[in-house]
């Protein structure tokens, strides 16, 4: 009788399967790093600002409104270790429309060398670089001063830029499409330099406050020009000191001038002015969050009207906030009162309301 072949015995078959499984396991482990390098990493986020506002214009009845101020969808990812992208959209409650906020190809080899192409916030004032979701107060971009630079949508322009961070000094500069931002095909040049004397601020985009996470003393200067006769420039300042227990006090200020480039009223060739903001975040917890008091005063001038009836006028804006900070910019409630007064051309305006911001 013939003896069965050893390689066909049940034990031999099991051993072959075991070796095959071990080989596949080892191969998959060896292949894992290569697969991880070729799979892009993507992060998704979102933000919502909504409010209730009582509004009074001089000479007319008051109105009460529930508003969807802003809704954003954030998408970020990496193609390689040095090449990434940013794509953000925003719903504008005023126009009831969705538009592209940021669409950027980003090349970065170090903190000192970063190049961006596409649509994004150009070098400009701190207020533009923090935007409404990272601003300290509620009534942003309504004072005739902050973020008066030209834009396509919510402060953004199309173009290319270099920026670099050298310790506590940050510089940026680039060229941007004039036709889409101002209707003039001449390119817009833009640049900014910032010095952080205490803690550094990493990255290109900024905050209006760090809610006590940093001791900050930052001074920045920015400017844009288009051709030889259009310019806009500013100087901005932010001081923030931690208070033991988790609080902070903050002082922010800016002076800006828009000379035939940007500005809050297109009928006026010159728009300039400044503001100062101060706040105190109490260190004691009140439930899940902390209470913050904030005040801001701004003064803006409008000159060189394009028509005879466009008289020179001034704007004074006073804003008070009573804020409840639950998780910094991810969860906060802002109670606000804003009084805007004009000495000509426009009627005075008062607002009182409450805003809610959620981000993830």
């Amino acid at each position: 009788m013939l003896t069965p072949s050893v390689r066909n015995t049940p034990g031999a078959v099991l051993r072959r399967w075991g070796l095959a499984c071990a080989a596949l396991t080892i191969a998959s482990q060896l292949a894992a790093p290569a697969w991880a390098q070729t799979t892009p990493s993507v992060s998704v986020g979102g933000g919502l600002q909504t409010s209730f506002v009582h509004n009074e214009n001089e000479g007319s009845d008051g109105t009460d409104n529930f508003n969807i101020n802003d809704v954003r969808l954030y998408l970020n990812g990496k193609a390689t270790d040095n090449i990434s992208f940013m794509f953000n959209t925003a719903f504008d409650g005023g126009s009831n429309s969705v538009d592209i906020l940021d669409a950027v190809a980003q090349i970065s080899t170090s903190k000192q060398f970063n190049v961006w192409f596409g649509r994004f916030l150009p070098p400009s004032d701190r207020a533009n670089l923090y935007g409404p979701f990272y601003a300290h107060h509620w009534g942003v971009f309504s004072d005739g001063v902050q973020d008066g630079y030209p834009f396509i949508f919510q402060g953004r322009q199309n173009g290319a830029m270099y920026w670099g961070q050298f310790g506590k000094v940050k510089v940026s500069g680039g060229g941007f499409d004039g036709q889409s931002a101002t209707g003039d095909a001449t390119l817009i040049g833009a640049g900014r330099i910032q010095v952080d004397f205490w803690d550094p601020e990493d990255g290109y985009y900024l905050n209006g406050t760090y809610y006590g996470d940093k001791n900050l003393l930052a001074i920045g200067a920015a400017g844009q020009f288009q051709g030889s006769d259009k310019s806009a420039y500013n100087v901005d300042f932010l001081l923030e000191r931690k208070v033991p227990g988790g609080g902070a006090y903050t002082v922010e200020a800016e002076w800006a001038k828009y000379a035939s480039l940007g500005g809050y009223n297109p009928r006026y060739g010159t728009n300039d002015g400044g503001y100062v903001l101060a706040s105190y975040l109490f260190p004691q917890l009140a439930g899940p969050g902390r209470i913050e008091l904030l005040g801001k005063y701004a003064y803006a001038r409008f000159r060189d009207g394009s028509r005879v009836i466009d008289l020179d006028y001034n704007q004074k804006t006073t804003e008070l906030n009573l804020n409840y900070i639950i998780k910094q910019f991810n969860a906060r409630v802002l109670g606000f009162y804003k009084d805007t007064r004009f000495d000509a051309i426009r009627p005075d305006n008062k607002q009182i309301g409450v805003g809610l911001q959620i981000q993830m």
Side-chain angles (χ1 to χ4, degrees):
M1 179 180 294
L2 296 174
T3 303
S5 172
V6 173
R7 62 185 178 184
N8 290 325
T9 62
V13 172
L14 289 174
R15 283 195 296 274
R16 289 203 303 274
W17 274 107
L19 290 171
C21 291
L24 287 172
T25 301
I26 293 171
S28 66
Q29 293 299 315
L30 292 173
W35 173 255
Q37 290 175 4
T38 58
T39 302
S41 60
V42 177
S43 63
V44 179
L48 167 67
Q49 282 190 346
T50 183
S51 64
F52 171 78
V53 182
H54 175 75
N55 188 79
E56 292 184 2
N57 283 320
E58 185 181 28
S60 62
D61 294 335
T63 60
D64 297 300
N65 301 98
F66 286 96
N67 303 307
I68 301 297
N69 300 81
D70 207 335
V71 182
R72 297 187 173 185
L73 178 65
Y74 310 125
L75 183 66
N76 296 269
K78 300 193 72 172
T80 72
D81 289 340
N82 298 323
I83 301 174
S84 59
F85 72 95
M86 174 171 60
F87 180 73
N88 303 323
T89 63
F91 169 80
D92 186 344
S95 62
N96 201 36
S97 62
V98 177
D99 208 335
I100 295 174
L101 195 64
D102 301 284
V104 195
Q106 303 164 308
I107 301 172
S108 176
T109 59
S110 66
K111 287 186 177 181
Q112 295 77 33
F113 186 84
N114 302 271
V115 178
W116 289 12
F117 297 90
R119 177 180 293 185
F120 51 90
L121 293 173
S124 44
D125 59 350
R126 173 179 283 271
N128 193 32
L129 293 173
Y130 56 60
F133 279 85
Y134 292 89
H136 202 166
H137 61 301
W138 181 261
V140 292
F141 319 134
S142 62
D143 60 7
V145 180
Q146 60 179 179
D147 188 23
Y149 288 91
F151 62 90
I152 300 172
F153 180 63
Q154 295 205 16
R156 273 69 177 176
Q157 295 179 11
N158 296 338
M161 172 191 71
Y162 159 83
W163 73 270
Q165 188 157 344
F166 302 85
K168 295 184 178 182
V169 178
K170 199 192 313 279
V171 296
S172 57
F176 297 86
D177 183 68
Q179 185 67 46
S180 55
T182 67
D184 182 346
T186 306
L187 284 178
I188 298 173
R192 176 179 172 86
I193 182 170
Q194 178 179 316
V195 180
D196 291 310
F197 292 93
W198 297 341
D199 293 342
E201 298 175 87
D202 294 330
Y204 175 66
Y205 287 171
L206 302 172
N207 288 3
T209 177
Y210 289 85
Y211 290 118
D213 284 348
K214 291 180 180 290
N215 288 319
L216 197 67
L217 176 58
I219 298 176
Q224 296 184 12
F225 63 90
Q226 187 176 37
S228 60
D229 58 344
K230 299 178 182 179
S231 64
Y233 44 90
N234 79 278
V235 178
D236 50 67
F237 167 88
L238 182 64
L239 181 150
E240 186 160 288
R241 292 292 293 182
K242 301 177 183 180
V243 171
Y249 64 86
T250 308
V251 178
E252 180 187 352
E254 179 180 340
W255 175 85
K257 182 174 183 178
Y258 310 101
S260 301
L261 186 64
Y264 276 64
N265 192 328
R267 295 205 307 268
Y268 287 79
T270 304
N271 172 195
D272 67 341
Y275 71 84
V276 61
L277 176 154
S279 72
Y280 183 76
L281 177 67
F282 289 89
Q284 300 84 5
L285 283 171
R290 289 182 169 86
I291 295 172
E292 181 183 55
L293 300 178
L294 182 149
K296 177 187 174 187
Y297 177 78
Y299 179 80
R301 305 186 305 168
F302 297 83
R303 303 289 184 266
D304 304 324
S306 59
R307 305 175 301 178
V308 175
I309 61 173
D310 293 331
L311 303 176
D312 293 350
Y313 70 97
N314 303 321
Q315 174 183 343
K316 299 177 182 179
T317 307
T318 303
E319 181 179 353
L320 300 174
N321 285 189
L322 175 60
N323 303 328
Y324 188 58
I325 311 303
I326 302 168
K327 192 177 179 183
Q328 298 192 1
F329 300 107
N330 288 341
R332 59 181 185 169
V333 181
L334 290 80
F336 57 90
Y337 168 79
K338 186 159 71 75
D339 184 357
T340 306
R341 297 178 182 271
F342 303 91
D343 62 3
I345 302 296
R346 293 183 171 182
D348 296 343
N349 170 267
K350 292 181 181 180
Q351 289 185 340
I352 185 169
V354 59
L356 171 66
Q357 175 173 311
I358 303 295
Q359 282 196 117
M360 61 176 189

